Amino acid sequence: MANTETALKECLSSIEGATAAALVDYTSGMALGTLGGTKDFNLEVAAAGNTDVVRAKLRTMELLGLKEEIEDILITLNSQYHLIRLIKGRGGSGLFLYLVLDGSRSNLAMARHQLRRIEADLEV
């Protein structure tokens, strides 16, 4: 089992092209842990903003009567991928892992696979 700091370090070290990672509580919008980012990319602001994305999708699914669970949400930009992975089980309700990838250096399928593995080992 990995704690928050270990899981975020693993995101950046084992996922090719990863530039930033955060564990976020989408009930409050607060980042519980962050790693990476730059002076031009405020990870705290990104974490809070992506909370709105998660809440909107959950609300829409509820209105549509969908009984599915969100695995992940992908946002593609010109040069980056932003991957949001909702945490399942072991006290992870209301949390998501947020990963920023350099689009030119990452393999999206592998990143999703590795993030799923990291999420399964995360203990919160």
Side-chain angles (χ1 to χ4, degrees):
M1 296 294 162
N3 65 21
T4 300
E5 182 180 346
T6 303
L8 295 178
K9 285 180 180 176
E10 188 172 351
C11 284
L12 292 189
S13 67
S14 71
I15 300 176
E16 184 70 29
T19 60
L23 178 65
V24 184
D25 177 344
Y26 65 79
T27 59
S28 68
M30 299 285 296
L32 305 178
T34 61
L35 191 61
T38 65
K39 65 178 179 71
D40 296 325
F41 186 85
N42 185 322
L43 196 48
E44 298 281 341
V45 171
N50 281 298
T51 293
D52 292 335
V53 172
V54 171
R55 288 178 186 162
K57 187 59 188 173
L58 289 170
R59 191 170 40 254
T60 301
M61 290 173 61
E62 183 180 338
L63 292 170
L64 292 171
L66 297 176
K67 303 298 181 207
E68 301 280 331
E69 289 186 347
I70 297 171
E71 284 188 29
D72 53 40
I73 298 169
L74 172 64
I75 300 167
T76 57
L77 305 177
N78 291 338
S79 64
Q80 298 176 345
Y81 300 125
H82 292 230
L83 192 54
I84 298 167
R85 173 99 187 154
L86 274 68
I87 306 293
K88 309 279 189 292
R90 286 193 309 279
S93 180
L95 302 177
F96 66 87
L97 280 167
Y98 172 57
L99 183 66
V100 180
L101 299 158
D102 179 328
S104 67
R105 298 186 307 120
S106 62
N107 177 320
L108 186 55
M110 283 301 298
R112 289 184 68 221
H113 175 73
Q114 289 173 284
L115 194 59
R116 186 178 310 118
R117 181 185 50 75
I118 291 167
E119 180 256 334
D121 289 340
L122 179 64
E123 185 174 298
V124 287

